Amino acid sequence: MSLVVVTGVPGSGKTTLGSALARRLGCAFLSLDEIKEELAAEAPETPRDWLRFDAEGELVRRVKAFEGEAVVDIWIAPRRDTARVAGLLAPWWSTLVEVQCAVPADVAVARYAARERGWPHLPADEQTLRRIRTAVAHPDPLDAPRTVVVDTTRRVAVASLARTLRAETRGRLGFARP
């Protein structure tokens, strides 16, 4: 069994691609943002950084519950999150495949700014948009054993990507074939 981790900057299409890929592979889809939103609804006074760490712990618990057979969507801020997230994913490292969503900074910024999202997400202010631009310009990849970079500026051929992921893992993906 393999764990697919969809990474990229905010606005790169991680959630859209990850959920479509999970449907195609017939497995669970886990989104760190959705987990943070659940936790924030239960404890609205929790500081944003604590929500992130609590959500990461819950994400690991859920991946374990699915025995590592899932598609995970997670934003990994360069230099802030990379080593910590790699450590969290260590139990699945030998079977992990990273799918990096690649978009130009202007696309990611425009997509992020167009979203209507509240707490616990950052507002689409200049500071947040600058962080996105910087992350695109200076990525800090997870450096998973197997990585597939996908241009998400336009529609992705999910069936083809699923075949590529199976080839990357030499068919070890335990996912159902729809």
Side-chain angles (χ1 to χ4, degrees), residues 10 14 30-44 46-59 62 73-76 80-81 84 112 117-122 131:
K14 295 180 303 297
L30 302 170
S31 169
L32 186 71
D33 275 352
E34 289 176 8
I35 295 170
K36 280 187 343 190
E37 290 164 5
E38 290 171 18
L39 296 174
E42 294 170 6
T46 305
R48 186 178 281 119
D49 287 346
W50 293 11
L51 280 173
R52 168 76 189 210
F53 296 129
D54 290 349
E56 288 175 354
E58 178 60 17
L59 177 73
R62 292 180 188 186
D73 135 40
I74 187 170
W75 153 235
I76 303 169
R80 182 191 77 182
D81 301 330
R84 187 184 68 257
Y112 192 87
R117 297 173 75 176
W119 177 256
H121 303 285
L122 293 172
R131 286 180 61 208

Side-chain angles (χ1 to χ4, degrees), residues 133-165:
R133 288 185 196 97
T134 300
V136 169
H138 304 287
D140 190 11
L142 191 55
D143 285 333
R146 286 164 301 285
T147 301
V148 177
V149 178
V150 179
D151 177 356
T152 52
T153 55
R154 56 188 167 277
R155 188 176 176 96
V156 174
V158 176
S160 176
L161 177 58
R163 284 191 299 277
T164 298
L165 293 175

